């Protein structure tokens, strides 16, 4: 399995350090790693082989090798590959929920501040990844589901439209948050998400 590091991660670390939020960023990256291990374990249990691990500014991303035989196992408008993709995408947020539940069970044995940081970080990661913005988990689940129901072409059309619409609404909400909280880190997160969406839009146009 190859490991790739996106150099923007160092830029984000500097930004969070300058805004005195480096502790929060480190906490988020730690549980983002746990989140990705959920994907990894689920993929291995489903019989897939890890292909690459990417370390990115907003977490990690694992890609799996999928054999041609998997695509031959047809289900409705897709194949068993889409079902596996749904389960793998769900495994990440479920991992964060499990960590929150464990923290709640052992709450009386850990520091109060640490407890709230663990719950907050995992809740944030789970909600963030379930946003319907491709390639986040929420959009992966939606895309694989649409693929099964409508087929590959319609799935790409719908997910691009949903991703773009979601980003517009999130940008509006983020703009209000930046104004009230004066937190420039939010601006960089939104900018990064837009860059990801733009890249996916370009790929969609190439597919067409």
């Amino acid at each position: 399995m190859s490991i790739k590091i996106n150099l923007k991660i160092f830029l984000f670390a500097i930004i969070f350090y300058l805004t005195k939020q480096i502790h929060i960023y480190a906490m988020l990256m730690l549980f983002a790693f746990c989140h990705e291990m959920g994907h990894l374990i689920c993929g291995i249990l489903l019989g897939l082989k890890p292909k690459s691990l990417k370390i990115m500014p907003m977490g990690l991303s694992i890609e799996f090798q999928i054999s041609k035989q998997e695509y031959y196992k047809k289900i409705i408008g897709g194949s068993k590959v889409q079902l596996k993709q749904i389960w793998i995408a769900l495994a990440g947020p479920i991992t964060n929920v499990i960590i929150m539940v464990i923290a709640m069970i052992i709450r009386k044995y850990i520091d109060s501040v640490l407890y709230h940081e663990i719950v907050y970080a995992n809740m944030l990661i789970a909600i963030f990844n379930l946003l319907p913005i491709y390639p986040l988990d929420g959009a992966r689940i939606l895309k694989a589901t649409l693929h099964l129901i409508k087929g590959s072409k319609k799935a790409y059309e719908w997910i691009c439209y949903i991703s773009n619409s979601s980003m517009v609404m999130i940008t509006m909400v983020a703009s209000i948050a930046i104004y009230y909280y004066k937190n420039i880190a939010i601006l960089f997160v939104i900018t990064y998400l837009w860059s990801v969406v733009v890249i996916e839009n370009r790929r969609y146009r190439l597919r067409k």
Side-chain angles (χ1 to χ4, degrees):
M1 180 175 68
S2 64
I3 299 176
K4 302 176 183 177
I5 300 177
N6 188 318
L7 295 180
K8 292 188 182 72
I9 189 173
F10 299 108
L11 175 61
F12 270 64
I14 292 170
I15 292 167
F16 275 90
Y17 175 78
L18 294 176
T19 54
K20 298 180 180 180
Q21 299 176 86
I22 190 64
H23 176 67
I24 296 174
Y25 187 58
M27 184 75 74
L28 289 173
M29 289 300 288
L30 170 63
F31 291 114
F33 175 79
C34 297
H35 173 103
E36 212 59 35
M37 289 304 100
H39 291 313
L40 177 62
I41 293 170
C42 182
I44 292 173
L45 290 176
L46 290 173
L48 300 181
K49 184 179 179 180
K51 180 181 179 181
S52 66
L53 171 64
K54 296 179 182 178
I55 303 174
M56 303 183 297
M58 298 305 297
L60 297 87
S61 175
I62 289 180
E63 292 184 5
F64 293 92
Q65 291 180 354
I66 301 176
S67 64
K68 292 181 180 179
Q69 287 75 16
E70 293 287 342
Y71 289 101
Y72 297 148
K73 301 173 183 177
K74 298 296 181 182
I75 299 177
I76 317 176
S79 64
K80 283 191 175 181
V81 170
Q82 281 72 51
L83 281 179
K84 289 186 177 183
Q85 288 173 340
I86 291 171
W87 281 112
I88 291 171
L90 279 170
I94 289 174
T95 299
N96 295 118
V97 172
I98 291 173
I99 293 173
M100 284 192 288
V101 171
I102 293 174
M104 292 174 185
I105 293 173
I106 62 172
R107 181 176 183 176
K108 62 181 180 180
Y109 300 109
I110 58 178
D111 180 72
S112 176
V113 174
L114 178 60
Y115 164 76
H116 286 97
E117 287 179 346
I118 292 173
V119 172
Y120 172 75
N122 282 280
M123 184 183 298
L124 189 62
I125 293 170
I127 293 173
F128 177 81
N129 277 278
L130 286 173
L131 292 174
I133 299 171
Y134 199 79
L136 297 180
D137 295 333
R140 289 182 183 274
I141 295 167
L142 185 57
K143 179 175 173 290
T145 304
L146 288 170
H147 190 152
L148 288 171
I149 300 171
K150 298 288 186 179
S152 177
K153 184 178 179 181
K154 286 292 183 182
Y156 269 99
E157 290 178 359
W158 281 56
I159 206 64
C160 282
Y161 174 76
I162 293 170
S163 291
N164 292 334
S165 301
S166 299
M167 270 310 306
V168 170
M169 290 187 287
I170 291 171
T171 301
M172 293 171 63
V173 173
S175 299
I176 296 172
I178 293 170
Y179 176 78
Y180 278 101
Y181 296 106
K182 311 297 187 214
N183 192 338
I184 194 173
I186 299 175
L187 174 62
F188 280 90
V189 171
I190 294 299
T191 302
Y192 174 74
L193 283 176
W194 267 116
S195 70
V196 172
V197 170
V198 168
I199 290 172
E200 291 301 325
N201 286 339
R202 190 178 298 127
R203 288 176 179 170
Y204 170 66
R205 287 195 295 271
L206 289 174
R207 284 179 62 88
K208 292 181 67 176

